[in-house]
Amino acid sequence: MDRLPLYYTFGNHMHWVDMQWLWGYYVLPDSIRDMLHFCRETGAKGNVNFDGIGYEKLAAENPEALAELRDAVQNGVIEPVGCSYGQPYGLFHGGESNLRQRIYGARTVRRLLGVWPKTFWEEEFDFFPQLPQMLKGCGFEYASLFFQWTWHTPEVPKEDVPVIWWEGQDGSRLLCATRNKLNLHQWPEDMEATFADLAANPPESGDGPTALILQWLELMPSPDWMCRSEVLLPKMRELLADPRFEIQMATLGEYLSISQPNIPKRTYTLDDVWHGMSLGKNGDYAIHRSHSSERSLLSVESLQAILGLFGRPYDNWDVYPTWELEESWRNLLAAQHHDNHECEGLCGHVAEPQYDAIDKLLLGGERGIDHLATLVEKQGVVAYNPFGWETAVTINGPEGFAVAKLPPFGYTVVPHADFQVQEHRWKSDGDLLTYSRDGFEVRVNLAGEMEIAIRNRSGAERILNLPLVKWRSGEQDLDSAIIYRKHLDDVFLMAGPEGDVGYWLSVPEHMDALDITVSFEPMDERVPNPGLNDAAKTVWRVPTGAKLITDHPYAISEVQPNAEWLRKYPEGDWMTSPQWFEKVTNPFISQSFVDLVDPSGSGLLILHNGSQQWFYRDGEIQNVISMTDPWDEDNIRTDARAKYRVLLHESLSNSKRWQLGRELFGLTWCTNDRAISRVSDGKAGGIPDIFSALFCDAPNVIPTAFYRETEDFSGKYLDDYAGKGMGYPFIVRLVEFDGIETEATLTVAGTVAKAYKTNHLGQILEEITSTLRVKMRPYEIATVYLDIVEGRKQTRDLDAKREIWATVHRVVEEVTEGKF
């Protein structure tokens, strides 16, 4: 009988974040050496999955171990896979953060291991529909979607074939090893069960790729850890000695590169997968900090890019504070690591200084608004727009408030005369609260089911409920149906069993919408029970027949949640106690909004500040705002603050939905709060009162980032680097959200000497003509490099000032000789 051919490869997952923090400096070096020992003993080839910052720490702390790994990579024994900088749960973080994770990670791997990564495979859940496009744009060709169960319980569709084409939302494809019955976790017990099933039910040989045994390992040869080569080797030797199988060794990239051409295609949606995480834990604190820091970084780097267009004097020493901003990104990408979120109670506190460092480094960027205010001549408030589209904003200042329209990636000066005193528009009549302005009306009835009626200026009206908070504590089902106290300065309500829930209701002056802030602060005896099902959730009624449209990294989709998944938790100590399961029904994810759209296309858009876990149940949607996670043991935060903005619409494009989601909280950091007191003193001038650095004429194509990098660092090891000769190239990210093939025209405030469309690493795909027309595929994420003449670094002739420094130290002699 012929031996059945099978391939085998493994991934060794380890990281500097958490593991080295808690176990010590030996973690990554010993993991490398135990992995190479496993390879020598079995003849295996495998894959290393470290965080990018871990490779950097190895270079500094144990260059000998890094050299051993580099040799294994160069000799084809080990292949680096995954290669993000900070191993995030990418689904939970912003689109630009996800791109920088892949860009920074790929550059780190090339710099330290000598190869550009080609294969995506992460041990922890990292999936969203736009990920194949992002990876392909960073040079990846291959992937795997087998994620191991650890603290979380991820699910992706199981396949009967070993290889598929994984297709993203835009049509980008990666050759991908599937999740199937030959996937192995790191335990010998799992190996034994899988090998027994393999012997009883061998895969059929056909005209497709040879089957692959794909195993995750977390090698750390410590008695305080359970995955070590010494534990795994006996079972591997049994497999290699089995006369029924012919085991061939390969790295994952090698295996996929020899796969045969008849490969089926799969396009997975968010309805097909389950992240298996305790999303909503601790009031989503980690997620909120991540998104806040990303908004800050995008704001500061676009502002600093614009300031460089005005020439000297610069806000900083250089034309652009590259290191400060890129170090802030590195801190953010590391803080987004899955263990800082998943193991928040164990190691999340170490991420706090990383977020704090971002805030402190960005103070240098925050100076930019001060610098801008000194350059304009007109007296008033300088308001800066960090977004790539025109937006309106309410500016609150000492004189009152003003509503201003701000140009894309630009600023405007709002004269003091435009400010007016805030008018109190809320009226109270018993349980009925009413707000009215220019045909827009909000009515809040606190009696009965506490309904809210919103009527827009065209007369359309929608009835919704005040989003009740429901949770379970002990044997009690609790909610915020009882109003304890109300105030009419805006509207403040205390509700719940004994005032555990607070509501603030207000209407922004620049938009016909209702803002609702929900504060959840239960007493100890009313803290939610552990698990997702008993978590504190805001509850919203869903109109019959309404579609649910939500956003995820750099994309928007309709979701149809209709599945039941498992989530597991420890009974006590996370490492040693038994685990229990709960069934989670109809979950779905939203980064910044849920749009309830009726068949006519009109709808109710619910924007939120980052409470991403939602459920669809019995004609309502529920948003987790606070959850007790047993994985965090006693390290829990029971309070939470969720913010919503609700508005009616006749119809909205996906691009407009995405813009509104970003506008909700994106302007407040380095614009209004700082700009209010920054009034020009008239000392400088020569720049306009209204300025836009860049404008895109296609409404479905959104410029999502505008920044610069340095060619000497970012262009290393790249052929056809677009920024060559530019010094500090300008980079624009464009995203098409509406699924429309488009030719977008960019208008730039300055002379563009060269322009290129590139991949995300900066390699030239095509030169863009002087008209700056960029062809965009449906759902494409595009990167454009620009050489803007006015933004080139202007050097000073410091040699002409040499006399200031050359002999100043001789002043002592001159004083002694009486010459001074």
Side-chain angles (χ1 to χ4, degrees):
M1 178 177 169
D2 293 337
R3 299 173 72 191
L4 179 68
L6 292 169
Y7 275 93
Y8 171 84
T9 196
F10 68 85
N12 180 30
H13 171 73
M14 195 52 65
H15 32 88
W16 172 78
V17 172
D18 177 23
M19 298 301 293
Q20 187 160 305
W21 296 351
L22 301 180
W23 271 264
Y25 286 102
Y26 68 86
V27 166
L28 294 181
D30 282 11
S31 182
I32 290 170
R33 286 162 179 149
D34 204 32
M35 174 179 67
L36 297 180
H37 173 69
F38 183 80
C39 291
R40 286 191 296 269
E41 290 294 309
T42 62
K45 291 183 176 183
N47 310 272
V48 63
N49 177 227
F50 290 178
D51 45 359
I53 192 172
Y55 295 124
E56 292 179 343
K57 295 297 182 180
L58 273 169
E61 297 164 359
N62 200 316
E64 297 84 3
L66 181 65
E68 292 177 48
L69 177 59
R70 184 182 174 108
D71 286 345
V73 169
Q74 295 296 320
N75 292 328
V77 176
I78 298 295
E79 177 184 2
V81 296
C83 300
S84 60
Y85 190 80
Q87 295 182 339
Y89 292 121
L91 176 60
F92 306 147
H93 301 284
E96 193 60 28
S97 281
N98 269 284
L99 263 181
R100 305 295 175 102
Q101 285 281 5
R102 321 300 163 177
I103 294 168
Y104 280 50
R107 289 173 176 170
T108 300
V109 167
R110 174 60 186 86
R111 191 169 63 250
L112 298 178
L113 296 181
V115 296
W116 287 105
K118 296 295 181 184
T119 305
F120 166 80
W121 186 27
E122 291 283 1
E123 190 236 17
E124 307 283 336
F125 181 85
D126 190 5
F127 169 92
F128 50 90
Q130 284 283 45
L131 185 53
Q133 182 182 180
M134 291 187 184
L135 293 169
K136 203 167 184 69
C138 292
F140 286 74
E141 301 174 22
Y142 312 115
S144 174
L145 289 177
F146 164 43
F147 306 111
Q148 186 171 219
W149 275 28
T150 53
W151 285 25
H152 68 326
T153 54
E155 295 285 354
V156 297
K158 293 181 179 178
E159 299 285 354
D160 293 328
V161 295
V163 181
I164 58 168
W165 283 107
W166 173 28
E167 185 171 281
Q169 188 172 26
D170 74 315
S172 295
R173 293 181 182 181
L174 298 173
L175 205 56
C176 180
T178 62
R179 185 189 177 196
N180 59 63
K181 68 177 185 178
L182 293 184
N183 294 165
L184 284 173
H185 284 56
Q186 59 190 299
W187 315 111
E189 295 82 355
D190 193 42
M191 297 169 73
E192 183 173 0
T194 299
F195 295 163
D197 182 67
L198 178 62
N201 303 288
E204 295 181 6
S205 58
D207 58 355
T210 301
L212 170 71
I213 298 174
L214 190 63
Q215 183 174 25
W216 270 118
L217 306 178
E218 292 185 86
L219 293 168
M220 185 168 68
S222 163
D224 200 27
W225 192 245
M226 290 179 282
C227 183
R228 309 180 301 278
S229 65
E230 64 176 297
V231 176
L232 299 165
L233 283 171
K235 284 297 171 188
M236 273 302 297
R237 288 172 178 142
E238 283 183 28
L239 176 65
L240 294 173
D242 194 315
R244 293 165 298 183
F245 305 117
E246 180 184 352
I247 304 299
Q248 303 174 70
M249 303 299 189
T251 68
L252 182 54
E254 281 181 332
Y255 168 77
L256 290 169
S257 70
I258 59 176
S259 294
Q260 298 179 29
N262 52 331
I263 306 296
K265 182 191 76 172
R266 297 288 188 271
T267 304
Y268 300 130
T269 72
L270 289 176
D271 293 332
D272 297 322
V273 304
W274 164 236
H275 57 73
M277 252 290 291
S278 299
L279 191 57
K281 65 192 294 185
N282 300 322
D284 267 326
Y285 175 79
I287 294 298
H288 288 166
R289 285 217 72 173
S290 167
H291 282 264
S292 173
S293 293
E294 183 190 79
R295 289 194 298 266
S296 298
L297 267 165
L298 290 170
S299 298
V300 172
E301 66 181 9
S302 62
L303 175 59
Q304 290 292 338
I306 289 168
L307 288 174
L309 295 172
F310 300 140
R312 288 192 178 274
Y314 293 144
D315 179 39
N316 307 275
W317 171 266
D318 214 343
V319 65
Y320 186 76
T322 309
W323 185 88
E324 293 176 32
L325 292 173
E326 293 191 354
E327 184 68 2
S328 296
W329 274 111
R330 285 186 282 267
N331 278 314
L332 174 58
L333 302 181
Q336 290 172 342
H337 192 279
H338 61 267
D339 270 19
N340 284 334
H341 187 191
E342 184 177 52
C343 316
E344 192 174 334
L346 181 68
C347 66
H349 65 282
V350 186
E352 293 287 328
Q354 293 174 315
Y355 285 118
D356 293 342
I358 296 168
D359 294 339
K360 291 180 179 178
L361 279 172
L362 289 187
L363 288 174
E366 192 178 353
R367 291 195 312 265
I369 197 69
D370 303 339
H371 183 67
L372 179 61
T374 64
L375 297 179
V376 297
E377 294 178 330
K378 188 174 181 179
Q379 294 289 316
V381 170
V382 179
Y384 171 67
N385 178 16
F387 301 131
W389 59 91
E390 182 183 81
T391 188
V393 62
T394 301
I395 303 173
N396 294 304
E399 305 92 343
F401 78 95
V403 174
K405 283 189 175 181
L406 307 182
F409 289 136
Y411 66 86
T412 190
V413 180
V414 183
H416 294 291
D418 288 357
F419 284 78
Q420 55 186 299
V421 177
Q422 188 85 35
E423 184 179 342
H424 188 72
R425 293 192 174 92
W426 284 98
K427 309 298 179 186
S428 177
D429 183 7
D431 286 327
L432 183 64
L433 306 174
T434 305
Y435 178 100
S436 182
R437 180 188 67 201
D438 302 328
F440 173 72
E441 185 177 80
V442 178
R443 301 189 307 277
V444 182
N445 188 348
L446 298 179
E449 295 186 3
M450 295 189 287
E451 289 185 336
I452 299 174
I454 301 178
R455 186 176 66 196
N456 63 21
R457 298 178 191 225
S458 64
E461 186 167 294
R462 181 68 67 97
I463 306 295
L464 63 147
N465 63 296
L466 184 73
L468 293 182
V469 178
K470 295 184 178 181
W471 72 102
R472 185 169 178 79
S473 182
E475 299 300 317
Q476 289 186 299
D477 291 314
L478 303 173
D479 62 47
S480 58
I482 301 173
I483 300 295
Y484 271 78
R485 193 163 67 235
K486 65 181 179 183
H487 299 281
L488 209 59
D489 295 335
D490 283 335
V491 174
F492 170 65
L493 310 170
M494 285 186 65
E498 291 185 31
D500 302 80
V501 180
Y503 294 94
W504 286 263
L505 278 62
S506 61
V507 176
E509 291 292 340
H510 66 280
M511 181 184 294
D512 290 344
L514 174 65
D515 288 352
I516 305 172
T517 298
V518 182
S519 175
F520 179 69
E521 300 181 34
M523 299 295 289
D524 289 343
E525 64 271 18
R526 292 187 293 279
V527 169
N529 294 337
L532 277 167
N533 287 327
D534 289 354
K537 309 176 186 76
T538 56
V539 179
W540 308 73
R541 289 200 302 260
V542 177
T544 302
K547 295 189 297 185
L548 302 179
I549 297 176
T550 71
D551 63 329
H552 39 98
Y554 273 164
I556 293 166
S557 301
E558 179 184 350
V559 295
Q560 297 176 321
N562 187 26
E564 189 172 73
W565 309 98
L566 291 177
R567 178 75 184 109
K568 66 168 185 163
Y569 309 96
E571 293 180 2
D573 174 74
W574 69 267
M575 179 70 96
T576 60
S577 70
Q579 297 174 0
W580 59 277
F581 287 83
E582 67 173 343
K583 293 180 179 179
V584 179
T585 304
N586 298 350
F588 67 96
I589 298 299
S590 156
Q591 280 211 337
S592 68
F593 69 80
V594 179
D595 199 0
L596 308 176
V597 181
D598 63 32
S600 71
S602 62
L604 181 74
L605 182 66
I606 303 172
L607 304 161
H608 63 84
N609 69 323
S611 298
Q612 295 189 23
Q613 184 63 70
W614 294 70
F615 297 94
Y616 176 68
R617 295 172 180 171
D618 301 324
E620 61 187 26
I621 55 175
Q622 304 171 357
N623 182 207
V624 177
I625 61 172
S626 184
M627 172 200 167
T628 303
D629 185 9
W631 290 107
D632 288 332
E633 298 178 351
D634 295 330
N635 300 290
I636 60 172
R637 306 170 195 239
T638 58
D639 59 331
R641 179 164 292 194
K643 299 179 181 180
Y644 305 95
R645 174 169 290 169
V646 182
L647 57 92
L648 299 183
H649 65 84
E650 302 304 319
S651 65
L652 280 179
S653 65
N654 281 342
S655 51
K656 186 61 178 177
R657 290 184 178 100
W658 194 87
Q659 289 173 343
L660 289 169
R662 298 308 166 284
E663 288 176 8
L664 182 56
F665 299 105
L667 280 170
T668 57
W669 186 81
C670 70
T671 54
N672 305 343
D673 293 320
R674 295 288 299 170
I676 288 166
S677 61
R678 305 305 174 192
V679 180
S680 170
D681 58 11
K683 293 179 181 177
I687 70 170
D689 300 332
I690 301 175
F691 179 82
S692 173
L694 184 141
F695 169 74
C696 177
D697 71 339
N700 57 312
V701 177
I702 299 178
T704 59
F706 182 48
Y707 64 103
R708 306 180 79 169
E709 64 187 21
T710 57
E711 67 167 290
D712 60 338
F713 184 79
S714 300
K716 272 186 177 180
Y717 314 114
L718 281 175
D719 297 326
D720 299 323
Y721 175 62
K724 186 176 182 180
M726 296 184 188
Y728 298 78
F730 289 83
I731 302 166
V732 183
R733 197 89 63 219
L734 302 173
V735 183
E736 200 291 312
F737 281 95
D738 294 339
I740 303 170
E741 188 171 350
T742 306
E743 187 172 75
T745 300
L746 302 181
T747 302
V748 176
T751 306
V752 178
K754 285 285 186 182
Y756 299 99
K757 189 176 181 181
T758 72
N759 68 8
H760 302 316
L761 297 175
Q763 291 177 292
I764 296 172
L765 299 177
E766 61 184 77
E767 186 169 0
I768 302 172
T769 65
S770 58
T771 54
L772 296 185
R773 292 178 182 170
V774 184
K775 293 180 180 179
M776 298 288 294
R777 302 188 316 273
Y779 307 115
E780 182 177 4
I781 303 168
T783 299
V784 174
Y785 274 61
L786 301 172
D787 179 11
I788 306 176
V789 174
E790 289 79 0
R792 292 174 178 171
K793 180 177 178 179
Q794 299 173 5
T795 57
R796 292 170 289 184
D797 184 8
L798 296 182
D799 288 341
K801 304 295 183 181
R802 190 183 302 278
E803 72 279 0
I804 297 174
W805 295 91
T807 59
V808 69
H809 57 284
R810 297 186 179 278
V811 67
V812 176
E813 299 173 15
E814 294 179 1
V815 169
T816 303
E817 296 173 4
K819 297 179 180 179
F820 188 83

